[in-house]
Amino acid sequence: MSEPPAKRSKPSSGASTPAENPYLAHMNDKNGSSSSNGVKNPLAGLVPRKVTADQAKAIMDADVNPFKGLAPFSAGYRKILEVRKNLPVYDKMDEFLKVFSKNQITVMEGQTGSGKTTQIPQFVCYADMPHLRGKMVACTQPRRVAAMSVAKRVADEMDARQAGVLQPTAGQDRAVQLGKQIGYSIRFEDMTEPGTTFLKYMTDGMLLREAMNDPLLERYSTIILDEAHERTLATDILMGLLKDIAKQRPDLKIIVMSATLDVDKFANYFGDNQPGGKAPIVKVSGRTFPVETFFTQEPEQDYVEAAIRTVLFIHQAEDEGDVLLFLTGEEEIEDACRKIRAEGEELANKGMAGPLLVVPLYASLPPHQQQRIFDPAPPPSRDGLPGRKVVVSTNIAETSLTIDGIVYVVDPGFCKQKVYNPRIRVESLLVTPISKASANQRAGRAGRTRPGKCFRLYTEKDFVKELEDATHPEILRSNLANTVLELLKLGIKDLVHFDYMDAPAPETIMRALELLHYLAALDDEGNLTPLGEIMADIPLDPQLAKMLIVSPEFGCSNEMLSLAAMLSVPNVFLRPANQRKEADMAKAQFTHPDGDHLTLLNVYHAYKANGGDKNWCWNNYLNARSLVQADNVRTQLKRNMEKFDLELVSTAFEDKNYWNNIRQALTCGFFMQVAHKEGERGSYSTIKDNQVVRLHLSCGLDHTPEWVLYNEFVLTTANFIRTVTEVRPEWLLEYAPQYFDPESFPEKSEARRALERVIAKKSGKVRSSDKKDKKKRKERA
């Protein structure tokens, strides 16, 4: 019996049917050269991967949509098409398609605003025709926001209507829909339809997770790694994987797209079997106008206040044009938006400036609110003063998204970066100075539509001497526990010699292996255990995954699902600067005396009991958006639990062990994040790493227990631990005996003495019960 045609390495002799041969796929009845009403299919007669630029342009200019039932293109499509034709990347279509058809791997340098993220995947669809072979084109993004908003934009460009937002008019019911032909996939949200979606935007982490169950990524005909210059952890691992997959799948096309000038590094990395040892490069310039850059004379003491002041100065003194302000995170952005709105209204009321639209942009913002960044600026005031839009964003807007109309950029020179110290096993999100490359990307945002200005809130001397040339790849500054687990699930056991573009420190890999071994995800030989296999499939950090998997044994898996979801979303507690007392009183209603994890559970239970009411959230100073997200995450995790037949159970709330069971399950996952009360009053020492820490101000404990488990180590002016719950030393010895073996602690350690006391007390009880048994036996005799 012969193998299926798709699996053969050599073509079989004899005639091929359209169903068997992808190059005859256009002859299938359902995708034939004409529809039942005689309309000619623009794809008729084209050979996949041999399509020329003229043929692709003919598809774009056709009367009907070949990607969805030959429905007529709408007037809106024609309008968007004219905009697409003006993008710099459109002029490079011919060069790109020639390189794409001749090479397995293509490297593309496309400056910010060139249109590469939206257009190249569409060019690939015209040339590759994945839908005719039941395949997909994947385009990865480092950020969820970009994956969602770009997918929506491309669905619009391919004559789409977002499902549930705009109702198609008569005759247009078959237009491409977001979530149908064009979709996106991010953690805890999949907007695709199997068998229908042929172009999928996704976060790099999601493609990496797919590779665990589909090692050769067989469902994809072309994979595009976009924003590769950002060098996220998942992108770096994907590059190593794809390099290997390409050798096993000659039919797979790979495109690596970068916005900066380090494309030679990518070309050399992927150039193993290429002439000259380099992958071919296609370069596209951005649509840039000159940008005038201004520096401050002296360093700013408070960059947020300085940024707000600069935005308001621009609004009053500069010509019309929108403003893009870069800040580091959600809290900072929302605070700045409030202040800019308030002061902007005041200026407008005094007739000193026109109306102001202030829009935030950060990763956890819901999709419909993210789209507001594309809203037009408000119309001029009655006095004729121009309206202006101000977008306040994280570094998402640096390269991932292009916002038209930006003329002024305000750059304080900071961003939030993950930093991991393997020696003390602490991963922190710190506000750090940006690199020169990032500063130049930010400035370039001002020159998209006309000559612009960039206001840098730092000195020229600092720019030259203090800023690094480029941002360090994330793989060099991250905890690799999750990554190591994924690589092992992919069957890659030699982690040291894996083909990294930049290899991480061996100590970081050793720390990751140590954590996974203690969690029982790895055996003594370094192989995945059955528990480790399940942990790798659950899209959570290893400790959270372990906590979830063992929770049925403690009769609290329903509660742990809720807790895992609450720990996976942004902070649910709101604490406005002018209402801190009221917010703290509201939080006190939910506070559990045994710890913050249990407080989070109380919040979730109360939220559900109140039917997810947004007004209730507002009145109780809770972030409704985070709670909605937690609910969605819980639903996804529940599916994971059901997939592995993990029982969904709860202990009766009246049972005295209800809260203890939850704390014990928590201990099974987070026993390596425990601190012991030592030293001066209120101080703790982290186990094994001996870092002196204090409980964070947000901690709800009204006492200082001897042993605590924490979710997060916070580096600010001092070392703090946040989201803290009291644990008992007996649990530590029972569920992690190897880790809490007193012999592994320094001799004079207070934690060691405390553990020895617990063991002695326990064995003393055992000895006394033995004596009683012996006495009873003698009496019977």
Side-chain angles (χ1 to χ4, degrees):
M1 187 176 172
S2 64
E3 293 177 302
K7 299 277 176 105
R8 291 179 184 154
S9 55
K10 294 181 182 177
S12 59
S13 58
S16 291
T17 67
E20 291 172 327
N21 188 339
Y23 293 99
L24 301 177
H26 60 274
M27 291 169 60
N28 284 334
D29 288 342
K30 65 177 180 177
N31 296 302
S33 59
S34 62
S35 68
S36 56
N37 60 7
V39 178
K40 190 175 189 310
N41 189 333
L43 302 181
L46 303 184
V47 180
R49 299 186 172 180
K50 300 290 181 187
V51 174
T52 65
D54 288 339
Q55 290 170 328
K57 287 172 184 176
I59 298 170
M60 295 165 79
D61 291 328
D63 295 324
V64 292
N65 190 341
F67 295 104
K68 190 64 173 80
L70 304 182
F73 280 128
S74 66
Y77 169 81
R78 302 278 169 217
K79 191 176 177 184
I80 294 176
L81 183 58
E82 290 310 307
V83 177
R84 291 173 64 195
K85 287 180 177 180
N86 287 323
L87 290 168
V89 74
Y90 185 81
D91 297 331
K92 289 283 184 173
M93 190 195 294
D94 185 48
E95 182 186 345
F96 168 75
L97 290 176
K98 282 176 182 173
V99 173
F100 176 74
S101 64
K102 290 177 186 174
N103 298 278
Q104 185 180 15
I105 300 175
T106 305
V107 174
M108 184 153 200
E109 182 200 318
Q111 289 178 19
T112 302
S114 61
K116 66 184 186 306
T117 300
T118 54
Q119 303 311 302
I120 292 297
Q122 292 183 71
F123 295 171
V124 169
C125 288
Y126 301 145
D128 203 18
M129 302 182 214
H131 63 301
L132 301 185
R133 291 173 286 151
K135 298 274 189 182
M136 283 190 284
V137 171
C139 181
T140 68
Q141 297 291 321
R143 295 185 177 85
R144 298 163 39 150
V145 175
M148 290 188 285
S149 64
V150 174
K152 181 187 180 300
R153 173 65 189 179
V154 171
D156 285 344
E157 290 188 359
M158 297 189 86
D159 207 15
R161 276 132 204 95
Q162 189 175 358
V165 176
L166 291 173
Q167 294 301 320
T169 55
Q172 294 175 344
D173 58 319
R174 294 184 294 174
V176 181
Q177 283 187 330
L178 178 61
K180 299 280 188 181
Q181 289 77 21
I182 315 296
Y184 66 80
S185 177
I186 60 175
R187 194 166 79 132
F188 303 126
E189 190 177 348
D190 186 4
M191 277 283 283
T192 61
E193 190 175 280
T196 304
T197 303
F198 61 82
L199 173 55
K200 178 157 82 167
Y201 283 88
M202 62 206 304
T203 51
D204 40 18
M206 287 307 294
L207 186 60
L208 194 53
R209 294 205 76 81
E210 282 191 23
M212 291 195 296
N213 299 311
D214 180 12
L216 293 180
L217 296 168
E218 297 276 9
R219 70 184 79 179
Y220 299 104
S221 58
T222 301
I223 292 173
I224 304 167
L225 296 182
D226 195 10
E227 310 293 356
H229 62 275
E230 295 217 1
R231 300 294 303 281
T232 63
L233 184 52
T235 293
D236 266 27
I237 299 298
L238 275 173
M239 285 195 286
L241 283 178
L242 289 174
K243 194 173 173 183
D244 185 53
I245 292 171
K247 295 169 189 169
Q248 301 174 63
R249 275 193 62 196
D251 63 306
L252 177 68
K253 297 269 190 182
I254 297 165
I255 300 167
V256 181
M257 301 202 294
S258 171
T260 51
L261 302 174
D262 59 355
V263 285
D264 282 341
K265 187 169 185 176
F266 295 112
N268 290 330
Y269 179 72
F270 284 105
D272 290 356
N273 302 315
Q274 304 283 347
K278 285 178 79 168
I281 300 172
V282 177
K283 295 191 177 187
V284 186
S285 59
R287 189 170 59 196
T288 52
F289 292 88
V291 176
E292 198 176 352
T293 306
F294 301 91
F295 293 92
T296 57
Q297 294 300 310
E298 298 292 331
E300 294 288 351
Q301 296 297 316
D302 183 336
Y303 68 85
V304 178
E305 285 301 321
I308 293 167
R309 200 169 61 241
T310 306
V311 168
L312 293 166
F313 160 77
I314 292 168
H315 186 43
Q316 290 177 81
E318 295 287 348
D319 294 337
E320 66 180 308
D322 297 338
V323 182
L324 174 59
L325 163 60
F326 287 98
L327 290 176
T328 65
E330 177 181 347
E331 201 173 316
E332 210 171 74
I333 287 170
E334 289 291 2
D335 186 44
C337 284
R338 273 193 297 273
K339 289 178 179 173
I340 293 168
R341 273 191 209 106
E343 296 197 35
E345 280 176 26
E346 202 175 311
L347 290 172
N349 292 337
K350 290 178 180 176
M352 296 169 70
L356 203 57
L357 170 66
V358 186
V359 188
L361 177 63
Y362 46 84
S364 58
L365 210 57
H368 67 277
Q369 288 191 34
Q370 292 166 11
Q371 294 305 313
R372 290 187 59 219
I373 62 171
F374 301 113
D375 289 352
S381 65
R382 290 175 187 170
D383 305 332
L385 294 167
R388 201 186 300 271
K389 178 173 70 179
V390 176
V391 178
V392 188
S393 172
T394 60
N395 53 358
I396 290 169
E398 212 171 274
T399 56
S400 298
L401 292 173
T402 296
I403 307 161
D404 283 326
I406 299 295
V407 178
Y408 306 100
V409 166
V410 180
D411 174 19
F414 291 98
C415 66
K416 268 190 182 167
Q417 263 192 9
K418 218 188 279 182
V419 180
Y420 179 61
N421 183 338
R423 288 187 184 161
I424 59 171
R425 281 182 300 201
V426 172
E427 186 173 63
S428 305
L429 206 57
L430 299 179
V431 175
T432 54
I434 59 172
S435 64
K436 288 190 181 80
S438 288
N440 292 332
Q441 288 287 351
R442 291 180 176 191
R445 294 322 227 163
R448 280 270 296 136
T449 49
R450 66 166 201 251
K453 293 180 181 180
C454 175
F455 297 85
R456 289 177 173 161
L457 306 182
Y458 43 92
T459 65
E460 192 168 6
K461 182 184 172 187
D462 284 344
F463 174 78
V464 174
K465 293 190 174 179
E466 301 296 328
L467 299 191
E468 300 269 357
D469 288 336
T471 309
H472 291 295
E474 196 178 1
I475 198 167
L476 303 181
R477 48 186 173 82
S478 292
N479 179 353
L480 298 182
N482 229 342
T483 306
V484 167
L485 192 60
E486 288 172 340
L487 286 171
L488 291 168
K489 182 75 193 279
L490 286 160
I492 296 159
K493 292 185 179 179
D494 188 357
L495 300 168
V496 175
H497 296 105
F498 177 74
D499 195 356
Y500 303 100
M501 187 178 267
D502 287 286
E507 189 179 3
T508 309
I509 294 174
M510 291 307 297
R511 282 296 199 183
L513 290 168
E514 180 189 40
L515 169 72
L516 294 171
H517 184 255
Y518 277 125
L519 289 172
L522 304 181
D523 61 21
D524 291 341
E525 279 74 47
N527 300 313
L528 277 182
T529 61
L531 173 66
E533 295 272 354
I534 300 173
M535 284 169 66
D537 260 330
I538 294 177
L540 292 170
D541 285 337
Q543 292 106 311
L544 274 175
K546 168 81 181 280
M547 172 192 90
L548 208 52
I549 294 163
V550 302
S551 60
E553 297 171 30
F554 297 92
C556 62
S557 50
N558 282 315
E559 286 76 11
M560 295 324 259
L561 262 180
S562 305
L563 183 55
M566 291 290 277
L567 292 170
S568 301
V569 300
N571 186 12
V572 295
F573 296 107
L574 298 174
R575 199 167 181 259
N578 57 343
Q579 295 177 314
R580 285 182 178 164
K581 191 177 177 183
E582 294 89 336
D584 291 342
M585 285 170 67
K587 184 179 177 181
Q589 302 173 86
F590 307 107
T591 301
H592 192 288
D594 289 339
D596 300 330
H597 294 85
L598 310 184
T599 299
L600 287 174
L601 265 182
N602 280 341
V603 169
Y604 184 76
H605 291 157
Y607 169 72
K608 295 300 284 182
N610 284 277
D613 182 20
K614 285 186 178 179
N615 288 329
W616 176 83
C617 293
W618 179 256
N619 293 334
N620 286 280
Y621 293 87
L622 295 172
N623 187 332
R625 192 164 58 236
S626 290
L627 285 163
V628 168
Q629 200 179 335
D631 218 17
N632 293 337
V633 170
R634 190 186 190 280
T635 305
Q636 296 284 340
L637 291 175
K638 187 180 174 188
R639 286 183 199 143
N640 285 106
M641 296 280 279
E642 289 164 348
K643 176 183 171 184
F644 294 106
D645 294 324
L646 295 169
E647 208 178 351
L648 296 169
V649 289
S650 289
T651 303
F653 188 72
E654 305 77 34
D655 193 305
K656 64 177 183 179
N657 288 317
Y658 178 81
W659 295 109
N660 281 350
N661 289 349
I662 292 167
R663 288 196 289 154
Q664 287 178 77
L666 196 56
T667 304
C668 288
F670 287 89
F671 60 82
M672 290 179 78
Q673 289 178 204
V674 166
H676 181 250
K677 190 176 174 184
E678 288 181 19
E680 62 184 76
R681 190 180 173 191
S683 288
Y684 284 82
S685 176
T686 59
I687 296 303
K688 302 282 176 135
D689 305 315
N690 304 316
Q691 295 297 299
V692 177
V693 294
R694 301 183 78 86
L695 301 182
H696 195 267
L697 293 173
S698 63
C699 176
L701 286 168
D702 57 1
H703 61 298
T704 49
E706 185 182 5
W707 296 88
V708 292
L709 170 152
Y710 60 91
N711 193 63
E712 193 182 354
F713 190 113
V714 183
L715 287 168
T716 52
T717 48
N719 294 344
F720 292 98
I721 48 177
R722 187 159 55 194
T723 315
V724 176
T725 290
E726 180 180 2
V727 290
R728 295 179 187 168
E730 294 85 359
W731 300 341
L732 301 172
L733 289 163
E734 184 178 352
Y735 304 127
Q738 193 182 353
Y739 194 75
F740 286 93
D741 179 1
E743 296 295 322
S744 65
F745 287 76
E747 269 192 44
K748 295 181 180 179
S749 156
E750 286 185 39
R752 174 173 176 158
R753 287 200 293 271
L755 290 169
E756 285 172 340
R757 281 196 300 272
V758 173
I759 293 168
K761 187 179 176 184
K762 195 176 178 184
S763 60
K765 281 182 182 176
V766 170
R767 280 200 296 273
S768 67
S769 64
D770 285 347
K771 284 177 184 176
K772 284 177 185 176
D773 288 343
K774 281 180 185 177
K775 191 177 179 183
K776 282 179 184 175
R777 282 197 295 271
K778 279 181 182 178
E779 286 170 357
R780 284 196 201 106

